[in-house]
Amino acid sequence: MGSKRRHQKKKTKLIGGEEEEEDRISSLPDSILHQILSFIDTTSVVQTSVLSKRWRYLWTSVPNIHLDYDAFPGIHCETKKHRFAHFVNQVLSLRDASSVFRFYLRCTLFLDADLVKNCICYAFRHNVQELLLWPDCNSYLEHSEFPGCLSEALGISSSSLISLTLACHAFGMPPDKPLRLPALKTLRLAGCCHDYANLITETVGNCTNLETLILDDLELNSLNINAPNLRNLELHYYDDDCSCGSCFESMIVVSAPGLTSFKLEAMEGHALPVFSAASLPCLHNVHVCLKTWSFDEYESYDVPDEEILQRMPLNVMKMLEQLGEADYVTLSMDTVEVNGYVLRRRHPQALHRPSLCGSISQRISAFKNDIQLGKGKEIPPELLKAIEESRLSLFFSRTKLLLSDALINR
Amino acid sequence: MASSIENNNEKLTLKSSDGEEFLVEKHVALQSTLLQNMLDSDCSSADVIPLPKIDARTLALVLGYCKKHADASSSKQGELNSFDSEFLKDMDMGALFNLVLAANFMEIKGLLDIAAQKIADTIKDKPHQEVREIFHVENDYTPEEEAAVREENRWAFEGFP
């Protein structure tokens, strides 16, 4: 075995079968090393150049670029901004000509608009497939309006981009033109407020291959989605527990015949979704979570308009009726409580309309988890008991049938 | 092609570099794009498919991964994720490198991803000397050359200890 060590450190197999002192990582093919380095922040990737000669130029063709201003050393100041900008420019100019698969740029503080524009243009020129621009940021960004240059850069039509994640929180203004991304399959936008309604509608209309649309921290009066190939739609309304704005109804109109999964969450916010959809024949999974409204506890907040509140249970029920064709419907407990509360406190006459909903038994509150009702699934006995004592089942046509059968069997 | 219906329940035999044979259900083998392409192009008429680069220990691991992923329904993503993280948990580096090479050769994207991620996590946030030691990377720069590389990429080191 020792004879193998002729040339510095080469393969050394010990008798136990364990390999030691063998530089396995450096002998991996470039493609695997690129894959490994794709999981690492670009600063660390460039730093691997000092490991050995094998690593000197590896970083220049790693397909993922991951730039995080917050993780860059130093506290936020002009010097750090300059250092970061220099770093980014060096990376972009020294990289080889290979394509970029994923480009990630994150900062929670203001970055020079030209730098952002350079990044986007670079990514598009290198056939980027996934672009993430400050994806997990909240409202601390210091942009006051959608920077013109960013808008301009995103206005470039990219035929390679498949997935775009963009947080718009602190942009006072949406981009002036809808995005033109014909290959786009996944669009995730965060922080879209009222001005964005048209942008979303037009962008979704432009992106005919769109399969997944996720809107986080949504704050819109109306949302019109017409997407023939859309399969997944997730709407998460702005979750703001210290808001003192007034309640508003958010009209959601969906035309997506291929939709299989729909998720709606409106927690603690002040948006009351009003949903209407053309037929959704493919719907498989529905998840609706609406937060309890307990205005008594928040005297200081604007209690919603009485008329809006009166309409609310009806609107929620209509939505659930339209989604009732799904194979699986998961209702957050709070949904029941929303109705329970409003029905009991604000809209007692709804109790007399059996086509809408029965009264909600207090006993259902015993369920701490979501209630999932699936076709052909056995109903837990506690739920059956609760249902017997209330009439929760009337929400869903199919589920009702199932539940009725189950009750008859008993 | 007439036998395509029977093929659904067909098993195939894979042979590792050290001669061990593994009988695998076809739907499990289909997790590998390499095997899928071989089956599609009907190269599978051979009784035994040799995998000369993959030893028995590694192949057993790979097939365990494929079986789990082939058998789990799509609604069990959470379960698969926890399986994936358990799968590599206590694996030594040697086995991990064998696995990453096997996943690359057999074109099993999911496995390649988790194995690459695991290696990446080991490199991440560590000083170079430590990375060199963990992976036995031999520093073939002269001190002058290493200093030159550092200088060349100074913009990536500023602010780091």
Side-chain angles (χ1 to χ4, degrees), chain A residues 149-166:
Chain A
C149 56
L150 182 54
S151 180
E152 193 186 309
L154 284 170
I156 300 167
S157 172
S158 161
S159 51
S160 61
L161 197 66
I162 289 173
S163 172
L164 173 64
T165 302
L166 173 66

Side-chain angles (χ1 to χ4, degrees), chain A residues 12 15 20 36 65 70 78 81 107 124 132 136 157 169 197 212 215 235 256 259 282 336 343 353 376 380 407:
Chain A
T12 310
I15 297 162
E20 264 193 21
I36 292 168
I65 298 178
D70 300 340
E78 284 305 304
K81 273 169 65 178
C107 54
F124 281 177
L132 297 97
D136 57 351
S157 172
H169 285 93
T212 298
L215 301 174
L235 307 175
L259 199 71
C282 307
V336 177
L343 283 172
R353 301 183 59 180
L407 291 174

Side-chain angles (χ1 to χ4, degrees), chain B residues 19-87:
Chain B
E20 202 167 314
E21 293 193 353
F22 293 79
L23 196 61
V24 188
E25 287 169 274
K26 190 180 162 189
H27 77 283
V28 173
L30 287 179
Q31 294 285 311
S32 151
T33 309
L34 174 83
L35 294 176
Q36 189 183 355
N37 289 341
M38 286 173 82
L39 292 170
D40 286 350
S41 60
D42 220 20
C43 300
S44 58
S45 46
D47 293 338
V48 176
I49 300 174
L51 296 168
K53 290 183 175 173
I54 305 171
D55 64 34
R57 184 180 163 217
T58 307
L59 189 55
L61 282 170
V62 169
L63 293 175
Y65 172 91
C66 289
K67 184 161 172 50
K68 183 75 189 175
H69 280 255
D71 291 344
S73 67
S74 55
S75 60
K76 288 187 177 167
Q77 194 53 49
E79 194 186 305
L80 281 183
N81 290 345
S82 53
F83 169 82
D84 285 357
S85 55
E86 277 300 303
F87 187 65

Side-chain angles (χ1 to χ4, degrees), chain A residues 234-238 263-267 273 287-290:
Chain A
E234 285 186 28
L235 307 175
H236 305 269
Y237 277 86
Y238 191 45
K263 193 169 184 181
L264 173 73
E265 283 186 353
M267 311 283 283
H287 180 101
V288 175
C289 175
L290 301 174

Side-chain angles (χ1 to χ4, degrees), chain A residues 24 35 47 49-50 56, chain B residues 98 113 132 140-141 152 156:
Chain A
R24 299 276 314 262
Q35 181 119 4
Q47 290 175 5
S49 56
V50 299
R56 183 164 183 177
Chain B
N98 288 338
D113 277 346
R132 285 196 193 113
D140 54 1
Y141 287 125
E152 184 181 288

Side-chain angles (χ1 to χ4, degrees), chain A residues 8 21 23-25 32 35-36 39 46-47 49-53 56 73 83 86-87 90-91 94, chain B residues 94 97-98 104 113 117 120 124 128 132 135-138 140-141 145 152-153 155-160:
Chain A
Q8 296 175 333
E21 305 218 338
D23 183 1
R24 299 276 314 262
I25 193 163
I32 298 182
Q35 181 119 4
I36 292 168
F39 289 106
V46 179
Q47 290 175 5
S49 56
V50 299
L51 286 177
S52 73
K53 287 177 181 168
R56 183 164 183 177
R83 269 197 301 122
H86 181 58
F87 169 78
Q90 289 292 92
V91 169
L94 293 172
Chain B
F97 282 119
N98 288 338
N104 185 56
D113 277 346
Q117 168 94 61
K124 229 181 251 183
H128 306 114
R132 285 196 193 113
F135 293 102
H136 312 296
V137 175
E138 184 211 337
D140 54 1
Y141 287 125
E145 282 170 335
E152 184 181 288
N153 295 337
W155 43 273
F157 290 95
E158 276 171 340
F160 285 89

